[in-house]
Amino acid sequence: MNLSILNRKARHFKIVFLIVLLYSCSSDSEEDVFLSSNKSLFSFSIKELPDLTFSGLSQGQLEADLISNANITNLTAIFEVSKGATVYIGETVQKSGSTTNDFSSRVTYTVKAEDGSTATFSVTINPYENQPPTANAGSDMILYLPVASETISVALDASASNDPEDEEMSYEWMLDDAIIADTEMAEVALALGIHEITLVVTDAEGVSGTDNITVEIRELGVFAPIDSGATQQTQNVLNNLAALAYGETFAFGQEFPLSFQLNALNYDLNTSDCKDVSGDHPAVFGIDPHYMLYKSASERQLHIDETKAAYENGSIVTFDFHQQSRTDGQIYYDQLTTDTDKSLMYDIVNDLNGSRDWYFDEIDMILDIINTDLGFTIIFRPLHEMNGGWFWWGTQTENHSPELYIELYQMTVDYMKQRSDHILFAWSPNYPFDESYYPGDAYVDVVGIDYYTPSKASLQQALVELTDFAEQHHKIAALTETGQQNYIFDNTDFWTDNILDAIEEGGSDIRIAWVLGWFNAPWDGSQNNLFIPNAQSPQEAKDDFIAFKNNSKTLFQEDIQALDMYQDPSMN
């Protein structure tokens, strides 16, 4: 072969080899630089503290604050770094999810890339700083000293206090720099006066928090019936009602609880819808002489016997009177047809057309029941709901005015107290409370309000206003009628949500002696028209009424019997 040809081939092979070699070396070098110099930190967390949140990842200075006490001397880091990089602390290789370290001081990590270049990041976990506990001594209190007592028991309650670390706390109640109790809940005896009490709660680290309440003990004083000749028993009832109203509980009552049940009159006075559901009769019986004066002799006797059963078992008795008009024999104004009945209130007050004699004749029949058939204290609330337009003594009557009503009310009270000493007198407008009809302090022992279908908020406000009025006039307050038709299905929790919660949340701003629900009508067979549940009611409605009854704030017959409301309060 020609030597020149061989030389040319050899030179050509060398050129191709060098080109391939140069290309290969250039590619390998570029890939090596990209893979080995990457040393980024993508994520970091602590296995034992998964909720710990770190900031500063992009700056390589991670920091987190502990949200509770925790041991941070032996924690496992979970991290993600660039592919091929190795993580060190000092000379020790770190394995994500397995290597543990002490984080009680700053920890510095080194991330080493494949090419030997390095980057660092630090991790700081700030220890939890013990937070002081929060003391909560409850709301300020105003309490009334019972008759013939030098001190009153005051319930102290620190259960709303808390510690952020959920550590066990100790309690100290301080009065005048002295410890008067050292438990979360306590009963202490306080005398008349204003007492500033400090609650000190201390956690396991010795850190404390404080709260203060003012407990004012006022003198309840003696309540005198407006009838200066009232029997001793009547005086006892008034003062026991005052102690009840200005205390921490209230009595539950119902209109005709024994005799009225769905579908028929009930002559078994050992039973009631109230007892069938809750296990006890009401503490207050509402009785209407309408059903004694205008019904059969047997029904008259039934209600007299029911009233006696209430008294014999310690319950309080109230009378309201849905009096029929003189000529038409109607209660409601829109059912009146005669002009004389439409002006009946005016005619009674002004002694026209024999209306006054007729009126007093009817009052005499009620007095005969009270004096002869019963012979014990009755709370009578005549001419109720006068600020509504439905009764013949209401706002639609001819020549109506608050002044005309007041004259009729005062005339009624004067007539009755001259003929019986067994009566306390109650005045109860319909909601909203209207002071313009108030007959005056000399004519009222109890101030009430009738309020049907109340919301919790509006009832609470109404009872606060009623309480304020009662305190200003040295009277006793009561929710004299309430309820909600169709509540059994439409508002099952009425008795706890609308009534009990309103009173409880009102605290010491609400002071009432009783709450009276309306009757379960015997001429009706519908659950929709019940005002308390009966044995056939849905379980949800019964459960709500049972919860209402079992609340420590409500009193039923057994509770009121133990208070002996007809006895001298100084003997209780």
Side-chain angles (χ1 to χ4, degrees):
M1 182 178 290
N2 189 298
L3 183 59
S4 61
I5 294 174
L6 288 173
N7 289 336
R8 284 197 301 272
K9 287 182 177 182
R11 285 196 301 273
H12 177 74
F13 176 77
K14 289 179 180 179
I15 292 170
V16 171
F17 177 75
L18 288 171
I19 291 172
V20 171
L21 180 61
L22 288 171
Y23 177 80
S24 175
C25 288
S26 173
S27 299
D28 288 346
S29 175
E30 289 177 4
E31 183 176 352
D32 286 345
V33 170
F34 174 76
L35 292 175
S36 64
S37 65
N38 199 334
K39 43 191 174 292
S40 299
L41 172 67
F42 300 120
S43 66
F44 187 91
S45 62
I46 297 296
K47 182 178 181 180
E48 293 81 3
L49 302 172
D51 295 330
L52 199 60
T53 302
F54 287 91
S55 61
L57 178 67
S58 61
Q59 292 81 29
Q61 295 180 350
L62 283 73
E63 188 171 358
D65 296 322
L66 286 176
I67 58 174
S68 63
N69 281 329
N71 184 357
I72 60 175
T73 62
N74 192 36
L75 299 179
T76 308
I78 301 173
F79 50 81
E80 182 184 1
V81 295
S82 301
K83 182 179 179 181
T86 305
V87 180
Y88 296 86
I89 295 179
E91 301 297 324
T92 304
V93 175
Q94 303 295 301
K95 299 295 184 182
S96 176
S98 61
T99 308
T100 60
N101 289 288
D102 182 356
F103 285 87
S104 58
S105 59
R106 179 181 296 178
V107 176
T108 300
Y109 289 86
T110 299
V111 183
K112 186 175 183 180
E114 286 183 338
D115 66 353
S117 60
T118 61
T120 61
F121 68 91
S122 64
V123 177
T124 301
I125 299 178
N126 297 317
Y128 183 74
E129 294 185 8
N130 182 57
Q131 301 298 309
T134 300
N136 189 328
S139 301
D140 293 342
M141 291 183 274
I142 299 175
L143 302 175
Y144 287 81
L145 195 64
V147 175
S149 298
E150 295 183 358
T151 62
I152 185 173
S153 180
V154 178
L156 301 177
D157 184 355
S159 60
S161 303
N162 67 85
D163 180 68
E165 294 84 25
D166 291 326
E167 294 179 341
E168 187 174 345
M169 295 183 293
S170 61
Y171 303 86
E172 289 181 346
W173 297 91
M174 309 288 295
L175 176 61
D176 298 330
D177 297 324
I179 298 174
I180 58 173
D182 59 3
T183 55
E184 181 183 37
M185 317 258 308
E187 294 277 343
V188 297
L190 297 178
L192 283 174
I194 298 175
H195 307 277
E196 300 290 343
I197 297 177
T198 299
L199 169 66
V200 182
V201 295
T202 306
D203 66 14
E205 307 298 322
V207 180
S208 297
T210 63
D211 188 29
N212 299 297
I213 58 168
T214 300
V215 180
E216 182 178 356
I217 309 300
R218 296 177 179 174
E219 187 172 14
L220 182 59
V222 176
F223 281 68
I226 61 170
D227 177 9
S228 60
T231 65
Q232 184 61 52
Q233 184 190 74
T234 302
Q235 296 175 50
N236 295 343
V237 170
L238 181 63
N239 281 281
N240 282 317
L241 283 172
L244 181 60
Y246 288 89
E248 299 299 311
T249 58
F250 65 89
F252 169 74
Q254 190 190 15
E255 189 85 354
F256 289 128
L258 305 185
S259 59
F260 276 17
Q261 295 182 2
L262 289 191
N263 298 306
L265 290 172
N266 173 46
Y267 284 83
D268 180 359
L269 299 184
N270 294 311
T271 66
S272 66
D273 288 337
C274 184
K275 186 172 183 179
D276 287 347
V277 173
S278 74
D280 199 5
H281 298 302
V284 178
F285 281 47
I287 302 293
D288 186 350
H290 172 102
Y291 297 90
M292 300 175 184
L293 271 59
Y294 308 130
K295 303 297 180 180
S296 67
S298 62
E299 183 168 350
R300 169 192 170 95
Q301 191 60 49
L302 170 62
H303 298 310
I304 289 174
D305 292 342
E306 178 177 16
T307 308
K308 289 180 178 179
Y311 171 70
E312 290 165 359
N313 289 284
S315 289
I316 296 297
V317 177
T318 73
F319 274 17
D320 59 278
F321 186 26
H322 290 81
Q323 187 176 18
Q324 292 182 355
S325 65
R326 180 182 179 187
T327 303
D328 295 324
Q330 299 295 329
I331 303 167
Y332 299 104
Y333 186 87
D334 61 6
Q335 296 175 354
L336 301 180
T337 60
T338 60
D339 290 340
T340 52
D341 277 11
K342 292 179 180 179
S343 65
L344 187 55
M345 184 163 70
Y346 181 84
D347 291 353
I348 294 169
V349 170
N350 292 282
D351 198 12
L352 302 174
N353 306 315
S355 294
R356 181 180 293 183
D357 289 341
W358 163 83
Y359 181 71
F360 285 148
D361 284 346
E362 297 228 326
I363 296 298
D364 283 339
M365 289 188 281
I366 297 175
L367 288 167
D368 185 57
I369 293 170
I370 294 173
N371 291 332
T372 305
D373 295 290
L374 302 177
F376 52 81
T377 301
I378 301 295
I379 304 166
F380 184 55
R381 52 188 187 98
L383 304 163
H384 63 298
E385 299 177 11
M386 76 303 299
N387 55 331
W390 39 89
F391 296 137
W392 61 256
W393 57 88
T395 57
Q396 292 191 71
T397 189
E398 297 295 325
N399 301 305
H400 169 81
S401 69
E403 292 75 22
L404 181 66
Y405 167 81
I406 289 171
E407 284 191 66
L408 179 58
Y409 183 98
Q410 291 178 345
M411 181 185 302
T412 304
V413 170
D414 284 338
Y415 186 86
M416 295 187 77
K417 72 180 184 178
Q418 289 172 5
R419 290 161 176 81
S420 178
D421 294 325
H422 297 295
I423 304 172
L424 295 170
F425 293 92
W427 170 76
S428 58
N430 195 64
Y431 175 82
F433 190 76
D434 191 340
E435 296 182 25
S436 68
Y437 290 90
Y438 184 57
D441 291 348
Y443 289 88
V444 175
D445 294 302
V446 175
V447 294
I449 189 171
D450 293 1
Y451 192 1
Y452 284 88
T453 317
S455 69
K456 180 175 72 173
S458 62
L459 178 62
Q460 182 175 321
Q461 182 60 38
L463 294 180
V464 168
E465 293 174 359
L466 178 67
T467 299
D468 287 344
F469 184 87
E471 289 183 340
Q472 291 167 16
H473 294 267
H474 198 57
K475 303 299 178 183
I476 296 161
L479 179 54
T480 41
E481 285 184 32
T482 192
Q484 178 178 334
Q485 202 166 26
N486 303 319
Y487 99 91
I488 289 288
F489 299 106
D490 295 346
N491 186 17
T492 302
D493 297 332
F494 172 81
W495 284 104
T496 56
D497 284 0
N498 296 59
I499 304 299
L500 182 61
D501 285 356
I503 296 170
E504 286 193 310
E505 291 175 16
S508 60
D509 290 333
I510 295 177
R511 299 184 183 279
I512 57 175
W514 75 83
V515 169
L516 186 135
W518 202 234
F519 56 59
N520 293 344
W523 53 83
D524 204 316
S526 171
Q527 286 276 325
N528 287 328
N529 293 324
L530 290 175
F531 284 89
I532 70 166
N534 66 9
Q536 289 73 46
S537 295
Q539 192 60 46
E540 294 84 357
K542 292 191 286 189
D543 288 344
D544 176 73
F545 190 71
I546 292 168
F548 173 81
K549 187 261 182 186
N550 290 339
N551 188 277
S552 61
K553 202 167 184 68
T554 60
L555 304 179
F556 282 61
Q557 189 173 81
E558 291 181 2
D559 306 309
I560 206 78
Q561 188 178 55
L563 296 179
D564 204 351
M565 300 294 286
Y566 297 90
Q567 180 62 265
D568 185 338
S570 65
M571 304 293 291
N572 290 338

